[in-house]
Amino acid sequence: MKKISNYLMAGTLVLSLTLSAGAFYKANAATNDIAQSAQPVDLTYAAKKALPAVVHIKYVQNAKTQTIDVQTNPFDDFFFGDPFGFFGNPNQGQGGTRKQKVQTPKKEATGSGVIISSDGYIVTNNHVVNGADELTVTLEDNREFNAKIIGTDPTTDLALIKIDAKNLPTLPIGDSDKIQVGEWVIAVGNPFGLNNTVTAGIVSAKARSIGANGIESFIQTDAAINPGNSGGALVNTKGELIGINAMIYSQTGSYAGYGFAIPTAIMNKVVDDLKQYGTVQRAYLGIRGGDLLDYVNSLKEQNKDVPDFGTNTGIYVDTVEDNSAASAAGLKKGDVIIGIDDQKVTKMAELQEQVNNKRPGDKATIVWMRDKKKMSKTVTLKNQQGNTRVVKTADLNVLGAKVFPVSEALKKQLNISYGLQVKDVKSGAFKDGGISDGFIILTANDKPMKSISDLQDAVKEASTSKNPVLFITGMWPTGKTDYKAIKVGNEE
């Protein structure tokens, strides 16, 4: 028994020592993990991958001559004119207007871009290239190329441009959906021709909306994104592109700790559409509303009762548009959308991102709460024009005519300062809408038509809108005013 007791004591001691050793090693491993996580993150690999693929973009808008109406002073001709109106005073002593030609100054700006394919496709921000007459791209090795715009998308503030080059360094595209808050990232830009610059930080938030009036699902980071870095790369520690740097949030215009990037989940779809169609094929669910939390807070501020929605997060539906996917699903005012295609959505930015990744004609399963009951339905998404056809950006060819700035003699005769005169009308939108040779376009969709590029922009914008029509005001050479509605939708 004594031997057995000794063996038991020895076994207990061995077990105790084993457990103690195990606890020691476990605690030591945990300490090592903490120590390891506290070590500085090495971002040199990510920087090395990103730097060659980020380019400098120079924007030039050439000087232009415009004719404007200038207010005249009624006392300008006091001594040499007819100040007391003996011969009639058509301006009633208030002065009048006169035509004056002015030249707008040449504009130059800079930004950044990211090479996404070895044959010269570059992604940047729409605001970096919008309105440019010339674009010059400078690579890290100081080679320069003229660039052409393949397509732009103001809604997401993205643009696709291309240079004529081969075997260019590229940045691999990562999955922005997989990034996590707290993950280290670097922002790489090429501002002011100073060669590439790198700033580091972490992902502060995902699916952030800041009221920029577009499709908003930004990656928020505290990596500095300064002026000139717009269009540059947001890169993870693997050296993968996860976003296109877009803007800062600051009351002073200088960096103040908040930067925003457009995630690659949105970028990929926009780039594919611009390459294939020239414009983004955007699907619409057909609701208006906002984050449920914002709606609940507004009710509380008004001292109103807050209904039990059966959920604390989601998108409150305020309006459902007719002939939309949402109306086909049966959504109603007061419903709260909580999911789409097995993806939980807690706020409008997340819903926008999911819908933006689809095209008209794609299916989507919408999940929502009504009277504390979960409901769902699979519907076909439509475009803004209420169908599933491909929408292509129209150009001036759709009009079926030529347009020219009104001659100086005709301006003087009709007492107008600008306009575009229509000539050589053949089959097309003008003929279908009742516009023939000689008609002078003054405005299109309430915008003055002072140049051919003004009309091109108006046609492009209208052709992809919900109502693809140009509402034109103008006059005939006789001086008679007229109004026309011209359909410019170019669908397949």
Side-chain angles (χ1 to χ4, degrees), residues 77 90 102 105 126 168 183 201 223 241 262 297 306 314 320 336 360 383 393 398 439 445:
D77 299 324
V102 297
N126 174 68
L168 296 174
E183 184 174 334
L241 178 70
I262 303 157
N297 288 337
V306 178
V320 177
V336 179
N383 58 33
T393 303
V398 74
F439 185 77
N445 288 353

Side-chain angles (χ1 to χ4, degrees), residues 33-193:
D33 288 342
I34 293 173
Q36 183 69 27
S37 65
Q39 294 298 313
V41 177
D42 187 355
L43 298 172
T44 56
Y45 175 78
K48 186 177 180 180
K49 291 282 288 184
L51 286 170
V54 177
V55 302
H56 173 75
I57 299 175
K58 181 181 178 181
Y59 163 108
V60 175
Q61 187 179 74
N62 296 324
K64 293 179 174 61
T65 300
Q66 295 181 347
T67 302
I68 62 173
D69 290 329
V70 178
Q71 192 76 24
T72 59
N73 189 325
F75 299 103
D76 282 348
D77 299 324
F78 187 84
F79 294 105
F80 304 101
D82 180 27
F84 301 106
F86 291 126
F87 302 102
N89 191 354
N91 295 321
Q92 289 77 48
Q94 300 300 312
T97 59
R98 60 185 175 83
K99 304 292 186 292
Q100 179 175 319
K101 286 187 177 182
V102 297
Q103 189 172 43
T104 60
K106 182 178 181 179
K107 297 179 181 177
E108 294 187 1
T110 61
S112 303
V114 184
I115 305 172
I116 59 169
S117 66
S118 61
D119 57 348
Y121 283 100
I122 297 169
V123 177
T124 184
N125 291 142
N126 174 68
H127 74 261
V128 170
V129 303
N130 186 40
D133 294 316
E134 302 173 23
L135 288 175
T136 304
V137 170
T138 305
L139 306 186
E140 191 195 28
D141 60 11
N142 292 322
R143 285 184 294 164
E144 286 189 356
F145 297 88
N146 292 325
K148 64 178 180 179
I149 298 175
I150 301 300
T152 61
D153 183 38
T155 303
T156 56
D157 193 24
L158 288 171
L160 183 67
I161 65 176
K162 191 177 188 303
I163 60 176
D164 187 12
K166 296 180 179 179
N167 302 318
L168 296 174
T170 63
L171 191 56
I173 299 173
D175 186 351
S176 59
D177 287 338
K178 292 182 179 179
I179 63 169
Q180 300 180 45
V181 173
E183 184 174 334
W184 279 92
V185 290
I186 59 173
V188 185
N190 196 326
F192 313 121

Side-chain angles (χ1 to χ4, degrees), residues 207-431:
R208 181 69 83 194
S209 176
I210 58 173
N213 299 320
I215 289 180
E216 296 186 29
S217 187
F218 293 110
I219 300 170
Q220 181 181 324
T221 175
D222 64 355
I225 300 174
N226 289 305
N229 282 336
S230 289
L234 190 69
V235 181
N236 63 16
T237 55
K238 299 177 183 177
E240 296 172 332
L241 178 70
I242 58 168
I244 300 296
N245 299 328
M247 65 183 73
I248 60 173
Y249 183 78
S250 169
Q251 294 180 338
T252 64
S254 299
Y255 174 71
Y258 301 99
F260 298 91
I262 303 157
T264 53
I266 289 178
M267 182 203 79
N268 290 335
K269 162 73 165 41
V270 171
V271 167
D272 288 346
D273 282 357
L274 292 179
K275 277 185 177 182
Q276 187 171 352
Y277 306 108
T279 189
V280 177
Q281 303 302 302
R282 184 158 286 122
Y284 290 87
L285 183 56
I287 67 155
R288 294 181 183 178
D291 296 354
L292 178 62
L293 181 60
D294 292 339
Y295 177 69
V296 169
N297 288 337
S298 69
L299 290 178
K300 290 179 178 179
E301 290 174 1
Q302 300 173 58
N303 294 319
K304 293 183 178 180
D305 293 336
V306 178
D308 184 356
F309 294 101
T311 178
N312 294 321
T313 60
I315 298 89
Y316 176 80
V317 177
D318 184 65
T319 305
V320 177
E321 297 181 3
D322 294 336
N323 191 34
S324 65
S327 63
L331 282 163
K332 300 192 302 185
K333 178 182 175 68
D335 291 342
V336 179
I337 299 174
I338 59 172
I340 177 172
D341 291 341
D342 299 323
Q343 290 284 333
K344 180 181 179 181
V345 290
T346 62
K347 49 189 176 181
M348 180 63 84
E350 294 173 346
L351 179 63
Q352 283 185 329
E353 183 172 345
Q354 292 299 320
V355 174
N356 189 61
N357 288 334
K358 295 180 179 294
R359 294 187 174 96
D362 288 351
K363 302 286 186 182
T365 301
I366 312 300
V367 183
W368 69 94
M369 298 296 295
R370 178 185 296 167
D371 298 329
K372 297 188 289 185
K373 295 180 181 178
K374 184 184 289 187
M375 308 179 72
S376 69
K377 188 169 183 179
T378 300
V379 293
T380 300
L381 298 173
K382 300 180 180 181
N383 58 33
Q384 196 175 15
Q385 297 173 0
N387 57 62
T388 59
R389 289 174 287 186
V390 170
V391 176
K392 288 192 175 183
T393 303
D395 56 25
L396 293 180
N397 291 333
V398 74
L399 302 178
K402 297 177 182 178
V403 291
F404 301 90
V406 178
S407 67
E408 292 299 325
L410 194 53
K411 285 181 187 178
K412 185 175 181 180
Q413 175 185 329
L414 298 174
N415 194 29
I416 58 177
S417 59
Y418 61 85
L420 299 174
Q421 189 164 32
V422 178
K423 296 181 180 179
D424 297 333
V425 175
K426 297 180 174 62
S427 60
F430 274 170
K431 183 177 181 180

